[in-house]
Amino acid sequence: MGLVGMAGLAIATTGLAARAAAPVAASVMLFDDVHTARGPEVVDRAARVGAGRVQVVVNLHVRLSPKLEVLQYGVLRDRRRAWDEGQNYRPLTPHLLAEFQAGLEATLRRAADRRLDVAILPHLDAVGPNADWRNDFRFDPLHSIGGYSYRSAMIEPIARALQATQRPDGRIWFSLAGEMGRSVAEFSGAYRAMLEGLSADPARAGWRIGVSLNFSEFTGGANLSPAQRRGYQELLDRCGFVGVSCYRPFTPPATPALFRKTVDQWLGEIAAAGLIVPSDVPLHLSEVGLGGGPPSSKRYTPAAAAATPWLGVSHQLSDPWRSAEMKAFRRGYYRSLLGFLTADPLAARTEAVFLWSEGSWAPLAVDQSRFADAEVARAVLRHNRQAAGAGGGR
């Protein structure tokens, strides 16, 4: 496989320059039982985006130690309620795991009915007194905790659900982790073992399997030993794609260069750790979103939103995009994304783009319409129709 760091990026992408622009797809969030129950109808709306694909974000919840070590896997009924209210959070049992898989199958079956290709993005979210961001969680995905490992609780049920619902001509991109950088860094050999185990089954021969990382702090603060560095490189060499969450802060207004800088700096951080993403491994923008800024804001501004793209609102009554200034800023951000995908040479290496479809991050009326922007939706649909006409959907 060819290798690329920041310096070799232009050379590495020239061989892929003939690829049509990637379509821009929506995500379907299976955060909890409430979201999972409406997963199929959200797929129906995601199909109208015209991308020919959808990303399914699959969530389990965990309890953590003060050192952010995973102590227990579980499921949540409703993330809008306190985790310890009644039986909202429940530790995994065989029955709950079967329900988890069945709910996922219903969503994936609807995607198959709609003839959508499917990307999978697994997330762990923490509940309890030591709740923190998943990028810093410490866990070996093969190590059993209370009768369940990450592989048995998350990866294997997803694989079974995919096999039960996949179309013969459908494409599957299966990320083994989304924004769980410390675990991937410290246990890359375990992730490579999961990748190789999934790939060994002939029924999964066409699946593309990879990992998705954050735009910064891709190791979750872990300092790689020489052995870990070698193991991580072996994992990257085997990946069918590598994804990045695109929440890089910027100075408004957004331009197409923002997305190149996001990927350049991410690849540069990986290279600085002594690792290289092979140049023939496609890139996914696995999370693209702009939330509007801190939810406690008395006045939402483009500067605050651009400084913290990962911050926004899910259920509050405030709307960051109410003012004409914020509407124009948001539209410019998505216009810049589409400009990057159609004109930047690096976009030739970008195989898939998925918008975060939650709350104020979601400009498309997929899960809820309250924060949607019809102008952005029309622009995305036009882009996707052009991409499909040029062969970008396949």
Side-chain angles (χ1 to χ4, degrees):
M1 290 185 175
L3 302 181
V4 60
M6 287 182 68
L9 198 53
I11 296 173
T13 58
T14 54
L16 300 172
R19 176 181 288 165
V24 175
S27 300
V28 176
M29 313 302 200
L30 305 186
F31 290 131
D32 53 20
D33 292 354
V34 172
H35 284 80
T36 298
R38 65 174 184 253
E41 66 185 72
V42 178
V43 169
D44 289 341
R45 291 191 288 271
R48 299 171 195 160
V49 175
R53 58 185 65 171
V54 67
Q55 177 170 258
V56 179
V57 181
V58 185
N59 276 68
L60 282 176
H61 288 75
V62 294
R63 301 287 306 275
L64 300 173
S65 76
K67 294 182 178 180
L68 305 187
E69 300 156 322
V70 171
L71 301 177
Q72 185 181 70
Y73 294 97
V75 293
L76 206 63
R77 284 197 169 99
D78 186 348
R79 71 198 299 253
R80 294 171 298 181
R81 294 164 43 202
W83 72 276
D84 55 353
E85 179 184 335
Q87 294 292 314
N88 194 20
Y89 169 81
R90 293 155 295 160
L92 270 187
T93 65
H95 174 71
L96 289 175
L97 192 58
E99 285 188 347
F100 170 77
Q101 182 178 324
L104 175 57
E105 282 187 22
T107 293
L108 295 176
R109 189 167 289 108
R110 184 64 59 87
D113 292 344
R114 292 290 186 177
R115 300 195 62 77
L116 298 176
D117 296 330
V118 171
I120 295 290
L121 186 67
H123 275 182
L124 292 180
D125 286 325
V127 299
N130 299 309
D132 211 308
W133 180 36
R134 70 183 70 88
N135 199 48
D136 300 333
F137 294 177
R138 308 185 72 170
F139 64 96
D140 177 345
L142 305 183
H143 177 64
S144 181
I145 302 165
Y148 296 96
S149 64
Y150 177 78
R151 177 171 63 181
S152 68
M154 178 75 89
I155 299 302
E156 290 177 348
I158 293 174
R160 291 191 295 267
L162 285 169
Q163 274 192 254
T165 58
Q166 66 181 335
R167 295 182 292 118
D169 60 342
R171 291 191 298 177
I172 291 172
W173 297 278
F174 190 167
S175 181
L176 298 178
E179 293 182 345
M180 291 184 278
R182 187 164 196 125
S183 176
V184 175
E186 293 184 333
F187 301 101
S188 56
Y191 284 89
R192 182 165 58 88
M194 289 195 295
L195 186 156
E196 292 172 347
L198 289 169
S199 302
D201 187 331
R204 303 163 180 168
W207 296 8
R208 298 272 291 284
I209 304 171
V211 294
S212 298
L213 308 168
N214 195 49
F215 73 93
S216 67
E217 301 177 16
F218 82 98
T219 67
N223 295 314
L224 299 177
S225 68
Q228 287 173 329
R229 189 172 295 109
R230 287 192 298 272
Y232 208 136
Q233 188 62 60
E234 290 172 357
L235 172 63
L236 293 173
D237 290 344
R238 291 296 310 273
C239 282
F241 68 91
V242 179
V244 56
S245 295
C246 297
Y247 300 111
R248 181 182 179 273
F250 62 99
T251 300
T255 68
L258 164 64
F259 298 93
R260 168 172 276 278
K261 289 177 182 177
T262 296
V263 177
D264 277 349
Q265 291 193 356
W266 171 65
L267 290 174
E269 182 179 315
I270 291 172
L275 302 168
I276 301 175
V277 178
S279 62
D280 54 356
V281 172
L283 304 180
H284 287 196
L285 307 188
S286 49
E287 294 184 30
V288 179
L290 187 65
S296 59
S297 298
K298 293 182 179 179
R299 177 177 176 270
Y300 292 100
T301 66
T308 54
W310 57 87
L311 292 181
V313 298
S314 296
H315 310 294
Q316 289 91 335
L317 296 178
S318 60
D319 180 357
W321 311 114
R322 186 173 299 152
S323 72
E325 179 187 36
M326 288 295 285
K327 280 187 174 73
F329 165 67
R330 186 194 205 189
R331 290 168 180 171
Y333 175 87
Y334 289 102
R335 189 164 53 246
S336 296
L337 170 66
L338 301 181
F340 164 76
L341 293 174
T342 54
D344 195 297
L346 177 57
R349 195 180 172 190
T350 304
E351 179 184 45
V353 180
F354 299 103
L355 301 188
W356 196 244
S357 303
E358 174 195 11
S360 61
W361 293 265
L364 310 178
V366 174
D367 191 12
Q368 51 182 292
S369 60
R370 184 167 177 273
F371 299 103
D373 187 308
E375 183 173 312
V376 174
R378 286 192 295 269
V380 169
L381 184 58
R382 283 195 301 269
H383 170 88
N384 288 341
R385 286 173 174 167
Q386 292 167 359
R394 296 301 299 174

